[in-house]
């Protein structure tokens, strides 16, 4: 039996606070069994980690989840090695200076969403290009237009010019799924050096260039303390007439009223997976806006993605148990962690 599968008598202690996830969501039954075989798992109220008591806090090696932690609580957790957040977004809810000074890893499993979101982005782009959903609705209602008649405003993704705003896990996955389309892909990401983009085969570009030179523009930038609402009326006006604006990260990077106005005027088309309020009120104007394709924050939330989170957590905890560094999850960086502002989901 491999060393990692052997039942342990001295099982390390894990505090479980995975909200908004649950352990059943992120672990397959087999993985959950492996978790319990290797670790003593204490379920916690994420809002009251301090209330767990000193016996638990002093033993805890890992936290699965991203609950708020005070400096006092951290002080009571001398054995803590990692916070594994089972989310994509990092929340500014713990004293990161203390966490980094202590060498505690803060890890995110957000990479699991990259392929699901990229595929949804591709589907949205093709849909905006070919009007598939609208044509289906017309067909159901008996007013379909046949052949070229139904393609008056259709265009090709192949050979087009594409912009990607944000080149983290989502942006990189999007670039991969777009690789068959012979498109020219420009990327704007102010936190990355040009060489990272060039190595990925894309052209580094300013925000102005991606806005002005794209037929399809994908937004997969995280919301940060520096960029809230940075895509507004001026940005939409700078886009090519008829271009497609595809928002996949968070509504917080966009002035949503200005986006609605730009689509309403017929200047651009848009698709979005994310909205300023979720769920969106029934009377919200974007619900009935022609030229706008809506998706109810479904891009990343696939069961296969959630189950990968559990695998990543287990693999990294097992590495750290052997005093090796975590290799599956992404580490929060001391320079940027407290600047992240993407609002966490409330519905999985
Ligand atoms: N719709 C959905 O289902 C999902 C949405 N998301 C959202 O997408 C965002 C991105 O996810 P990941 O790629 O995994 O995160 P990531 O942290 O890997 O990448 C974010 C990228 O944004 C870049 N960035 C920061 N400021 C920027 C700016 N002003 N302009 C352009 N780029 C900028 C960063 O340099 C980084 O490369 C997350 O913050 C999350 O909120 C994530 C997963 C699923
Ligand atoms: O599903 C998404 O949109 C995500 O970004 C993942 O959400 P979370 O970071 O877990 O709130």
């Amino acid at each position: 039996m491999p060393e990692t599968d052997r039942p342990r008598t001295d099982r390390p202690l894990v505090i479980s606070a995975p909200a908004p996830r649950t352990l059943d969501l992120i672990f397959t039954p087999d993985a959950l069994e492996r978790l319990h075989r290797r670790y003593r798992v204490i379920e916690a109220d994420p809002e009251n980690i301090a209330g767990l008591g000193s016996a638990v806090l002093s033993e805890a090696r890992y936290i699965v989840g991203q609950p708020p932690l005070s400096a006092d609580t951290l002080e009571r957790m001398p054995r803590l090695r990692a916070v594994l957040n089972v989310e994509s977004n990092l929340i500014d809810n713990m004293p990161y200076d203390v966490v980094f000074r202590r060498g505690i890893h803060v890890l995110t499993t957000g990479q699991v969403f990259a392929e699901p979101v990229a595929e949804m982005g591709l589907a949205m782009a093709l849909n905006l290009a070919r009007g598939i959903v609208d044509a289906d609705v017309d067909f159901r209602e008996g007013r379909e237009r046949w052949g070229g008649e139904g393609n008056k405003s259709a265009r090709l993704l192949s050979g087009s010019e594409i912009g990607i705003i944000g080149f983290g896990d989502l942006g990189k996955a999007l670039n991969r799924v777009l690789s068959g389309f012979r498109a020219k892909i420009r990327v704007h990401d102010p936190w990355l050096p040009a060489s990272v983009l060039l190595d990925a085969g894309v052209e580094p570009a300013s925000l102005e260039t991606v806005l002005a030179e794209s037929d399809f523009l994908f937004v997969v930038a995280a919301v940060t303390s520096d960029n809230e609402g940075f895509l507004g009326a001026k940005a939409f006006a700078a886009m090519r007439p008829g271009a497609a604006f595809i928002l996949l990260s968070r509504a917080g990077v966009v002035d949503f009223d200005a986006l609605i106005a730009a689509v309403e005027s017929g200047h651009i088309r848009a698709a979005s997976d994310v909205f300023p309020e979720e769920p969106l009120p029934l009377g919200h104007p974007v619900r009935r806006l022609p030229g706008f394709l809506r998706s109810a924050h479904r891009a990343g939330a696939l069961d296969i993605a959630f189950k990968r989170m559990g695998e990543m957590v287990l693999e990294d905890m097992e590495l750290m148990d052997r005093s090796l560094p975590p290799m599956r999850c992404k580490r929060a960086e001391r320079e940027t962690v407290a600047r992240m502002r993407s609002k966490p989901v409330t519905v999985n």
Side-chain angles (χ1 to χ4, degrees):
M1 193 186 282
E3 197 262 333
T4 47
D5 287 350
R6 225 170 276 152
R8 304 267 301 252
T9 46
D10 56 338
R11 292 174 303 162
L13 195 146
V14 171
I15 294 177
S16 165
R21 322 280 180 230
T22 60
L23 292 188
D24 287 334
L25 181 72
I26 61 173
F27 291 102
T28 61
D30 279 358
L32 197 55
E33 205 262 320
R34 188 163 134 212
L35 174 77
H36 286 291
R37 193 165 62 235
R38 285 192 58 83
Y39 301 98
R40 199 148 53 93
V41 180
I42 305 288
E43 302 276 347
D45 169 1
E47 297 308 320
N48 188 20
I49 297 300
L52 283 171
S54 295
V56 169
L57 293 177
S58 63
E59 283 302 315
R61 185 179 291 181
Y62 304 116
I63 299 178
V64 174
Q66 187 175 201
L69 295 171
S70 68
D72 280 352
T73 307
L74 282 167
E75 181 78 33
R76 296 167 63 206
M77 305 181 81
R79 293 194 167 84
L80 187 65
R81 287 194 201 165
V83 177
L84 299 107
N85 90 351
V86 296
E87 295 184 54
S88 157
N89 296 298
L90 292 153
I91 307 172
D92 190 13
N93 65 356
M94 58 190 84
Y96 285 110
D97 51 341
V98 176
V99 169
F100 286 116
R101 203 176 327 119
R102 293 249 314 262
I104 297 167
H105 292 296
V106 179
L107 304 171
T108 94
T109 50
Q111 208 192 5
V112 301
F113 296 121
E115 279 179 352
V117 172
E119 289 192 10
M120 180 65 101
L122 175 61
M124 286 172 154
L126 289 169
N127 205 342
L128 290 178
R130 303 298 294 273
I132 297 167
V133 170
D134 287 348
D136 178 62
V137 170
D138 286 348
F139 213 131
R140 289 172 198 222
E141 294 174 359
R143 50 182 160 78
E144 76 278 7
R145 287 165 299 158
W146 293 83
E149 271 302 303
N151 273 336
K152 292 275 193 253
S153 58
R155 51 171 67 193
L156 283 185
L157 183 59
S158 294
S160 67
E161 293 183 80
I162 294 179
I164 301 179
I165 298 183
F167 207 62
D169 288 324
L170 265 46
K172 291 186 182 93
L174 201 44
N175 181 42
R176 285 195 296 275
V177 301
L178 289 168
S179 68
F181 290 92
R182 294 182 292 99
K184 177 170 189 58
I185 303 184
R186 298 186 183 88
V187 171
H188 172 67
D189 189 322
W191 287 3
L192 289 177
S195 61
V196 169
L197 304 180
L198 293 169
D199 284 351
V202 297
E203 185 178 308
S206 65
L207 180 60
E208 289 68 31
T209 303
V210 289
L211 286 167
E213 308 286 333
S214 302
D215 301 308
F216 297 85
L217 184 57
F218 294 91
V219 179
V220 279
V223 189
T224 72
S225 51
D226 307 337
N227 74 4
E228 281 183 70
F230 78 112
L231 297 165
K234 222 172 109 200
F236 303 127
M239 289 178 66
R240 287 180 173 164
F245 180 88
I246 299 158
L247 176 60
L248 294 159
S249 55
R250 284 291 182 274
V253 291
V254 163
D255 174 343
F256 221 83
D257 291 339
L259 175 60
I260 290 174
V263 173
E264 209 163 30
S265 74
H267 178 55
I268 57 170
R269 309 172 198 195
S272 187
D273 189 52
V274 288
F275 295 89
E277 288 171 75
E278 296 180 8
L280 197 69
L282 284 178
H284 197 284
V286 82
R287 283 185 180 269
R288 301 197 171 279
L289 182 60
F292 199 109
L293 179 69
R294 292 145 285 252
S295 165
H297 209 143
R298 300 169 55 234
L302 260 64
D303 192 56
I304 189 170
F306 293 128
K307 294 296 183 284
R308 276 190 193 144
M309 286 182 162
E311 270 171 39
M312 291 170 89
V313 163
L314 273 176
E315 285 194 328
D316 271 352
M317 292 198 308
E318 288 171 2
L319 285 172
M320 290 183 279
D321 290 342
R322 296 163 57 208
S323 300
L324 290 168
M327 298 297 283
R328 284 288 312 270
C329 301
K330 188 153 81 179
R331 297 180 201 196
E333 302 292 354
R334 69 175 70 228
E335 293 81 359
T336 52
V337 64
R339 292 156 78 176
M340 300 317 239
R341 295 286 182 276
S342 284
K343 207 158 60 177
V345 296
T346 46
V347 179
N348 282 301

